[in-house]
Coordinates of all heavy atoms in Angstrom, one line a residue:
F13 N 12.5 -3.3 55.8 CA 12.1 -2.0 55.1 C 13.1 -0.9 55.4 O 13.9 -1.0 56.4 CB 10.6 -1.7 55.5 CG 10.5 -1.2 56.9 CD1 10.4 0.2 57.2 CD2 10.4 -2.1 58.0 CE1 10.2 0.6 58.5 CE2 10.2 -1.7 59.3 CZ 10.1 -0.3 59.6
F14 N 13.0 0.2 54.7 CA 14.1 1.1 54.7 C 13.6 2.6 54.8 O 13.3 3.2 53.9 CB 14.9 1.0 53.4 CG 15.4 -0.4 53.2 CD1 14.7 -1.3 52.4 CD2 16.6 -0.8 53.7 CE1 15.2 -2.6 52.2 CE2 17.1 -2.1 53.5 CZ 16.4 -3.0 52.8
P15 N 13.5 3.0 56.1 CA 13.1 4.4 56.3 C 14.2 5.3 55.8 O 15.4 4.9 55.9 CB 13.0 4.5 57.9 CG 12.9 3.1 58.3 CD 13.6 2.3 57.3
P16 N 13.9 6.5 55.4 CA 12.6 7.2 55.3 C 11.9 6.9 54.0 O 10.8 7.4 53.8 CB 12.9 8.6 55.4 CG 14.3 8.8 54.7 CD 15.0 7.5 55.0
V17 N 12.5 6.0 53.1 CA 11.8 5.7 51.9 C 10.5 4.9 52.1 O 9.5 5.0 51.4 CB 12.8 4.9 50.9 CG1 12.1 4.5 49.6 CG2 14.0 5.8 50.7
Q18 N 10.6 4.0 53.1 CA 9.4 3.2 53.4 C 9.1 3.4 54.9 O 9.9 3.8 55.7 CB 9.8 1.7 53.2 CG 10.0 1.3 51.8 CD 10.4 -0.2 51.7 OE1 11.4 -0.6 52.2 NE2 9.5 -1.0 51.0
S19 N 7.8 3.0 55.2 CA 7.4 3.1 56.6 C 6.5 1.9 56.9 O 6.0 1.2 55.9 CB 6.6 4.4 56.9 OG 5.3 4.3 56.4
P20 N 6.2 1.6 58.1 CA 5.2 0.5 58.5 C 3.9 0.7 57.8 O 3.2 -0.3 57.5 CB 5.1 0.5 60.0 CG 6.5 1.1 60.4 CD 6.8 2.1 59.4
D21 N 3.5 1.9 57.6 CA 2.1 2.2 56.9 C 2.1 1.6 55.5 O 1.0 1.4 55.0 CB 1.8 3.6 56.9 CG 1.7 4.2 58.3 OD1 1.3 3.4 59.2 OD2 1.8 5.4 58.5
D22 N 3.2 1.3 54.9 CA 3.2 0.8 53.5 C 2.8 -0.7 53.5 O 2.5 -1.2 52.4 CB 4.6 0.9 52.9 CG 5.0 2.4 52.7 OD1 4.1 3.2 52.5 OD2 6.2 2.6 52.8
F23 N 2.8 -1.3 54.7 CA 2.5 -2.8 54.7 C 1.0 -3.0 55.0 O 0.7 -3.5 56.1 CB 3.4 -3.5 55.7 CG 4.9 -3.5 55.3 CD1 5.7 -2.3 55.4 CD2 5.4 -4.6 54.7 CE1 7.0 -2.3 55.0 CE2 6.7 -4.6 54.2 CZ 7.5 -3.5 54.4
D24 N 0.1 -2.7 54.1 CA -1.3 -3.0 54.3 C -1.6 -4.4 53.9 O -0.7 -5.2 53.5 CB -2.1 -2.0 53.5 CG -1.8 -2.0 52.0 OD1 -1.2 -3.1 51.5 OD2 -2.1 -1.1 51.3
A25 N -2.8 -4.8 54.1 CA -3.2 -6.2 53.9 C -2.8 -6.7 52.5 O -2.3 -7.8 52.3 CB -4.6 -6.4 54.2
A26 N -3.1 -5.9 51.5 CA -2.8 -6.4 50.1 C -1.4 -6.5 49.9 O -0.9 -7.5 49.2 CB -3.5 -5.4 49.1
T27 N -0.6 -5.5 50.4 CA 0.9 -5.6 50.2 C 1.5 -6.8 50.9 O 2.4 -7.5 50.3 CB 1.5 -4.3 50.7 OG1 1.0 -3.2 50.0 CG2 3.1 -4.3 50.6
V28 N 1.0 -7.1 52.1 CA 1.5 -8.2 52.8 C 1.3 -9.5 52.1 O 2.1 -10.4 52.0 CB 0.9 -8.3 54.2 CG1 1.2 -9.6 54.9 CG2 1.5 -7.1 55.1
K29 N 0.0 -9.7 51.6 CA -0.3 -10.9 50.8 C 0.6 -11.0 49.6 O 1.1 -12.1 49.2 CB -1.8 -10.9 50.4 CG -2.2 -12.2 49.7 CD -3.6 -12.1 49.3 CE -4.1 -13.5 48.7 NZ -3.2 -13.9 47.6
T30 N 0.8 -9.9 48.9 CA 1.7 -9.9 47.7 C 3.1 -10.4 48.0 O 3.7 -11.2 47.3 CB 1.7 -8.6 47.0 OG1 0.4 -8.2 46.6 CG2 2.6 -8.6 45.8
L31 N 3.6 -9.8 49.2 CA 5.0 -10.2 49.6 C 5.1 -11.7 50.0 O 6.0 -12.4 49.6 CB 5.4 -9.3 50.8 CG 5.7 -7.9 50.5 CD1 5.8 -7.1 51.8 CD2 7.0 -7.8 49.7
L32 N 4.1 -12.2 50.7 CA 4.1 -13.6 51.1 C 4.0 -14.5 49.8 O 4.6 -15.5 49.7 CB 3.0 -13.9 52.1 CG 3.2 -13.3 53.5 CD1 2.0 -13.6 54.4 CD2 4.4 -13.7 54.1
D33 N 3.1 -14.1 48.9 CA 3.0 -14.9 47.7 C 4.3 -15.0 46.9 O 4.7 -16.0 46.4 CB 1.9 -14.3 46.8 CG 0.5 -14.5 47.3 OD1 0.3 -15.3 48.2 OD2 -0.5 -13.9 46.7
A34 N 5.0 -13.8 46.9 CA 6.3 -13.8 46.2 C 7.3 -14.6 46.9 O 8.2 -15.2 46.3 CB 6.7 -12.3 46.0
A35 N 7.3 -14.5 48.2 CA 8.3 -15.2 49.0 C 8.1 -16.8 48.9 O 9.1 -17.5 48.7 CB 8.2 -14.8 50.5
I36 N 6.8 -17.2 48.9 CA 6.6 -18.6 48.9 C 6.6 -19.2 47.5 O 7.0 -20.3 47.2 CB 5.2 -18.9 49.5 CG1 5.1 -18.3 50.9 CG2 4.9 -20.4 49.5 CD1 6.2 -18.8 51.9
G37 N 6.3 -18.3 46.5 CA 6.3 -18.7 45.1 C 5.0 -19.2 44.6 O 4.8 -19.6 43.5

């Protein structure tokens, strides 16, 4: 992730699931 554009707070449960789904396919 890329501060200051992004922060750890951006990675909520829904975002994490979306990222993992995209990574795994």
Side-chain angles (χ1 to χ4, degrees):
F13 69 99
F14 303 92
V17 178
Q18 293 175 298
S19 78
D21 293 337
D22 296 329
F23 291 80
D24 56 22
T27 300
V28 167
K29 184 181 183 306
T30 298
L31 287 171
L32 291 177
D33 288 350
I36 304 306

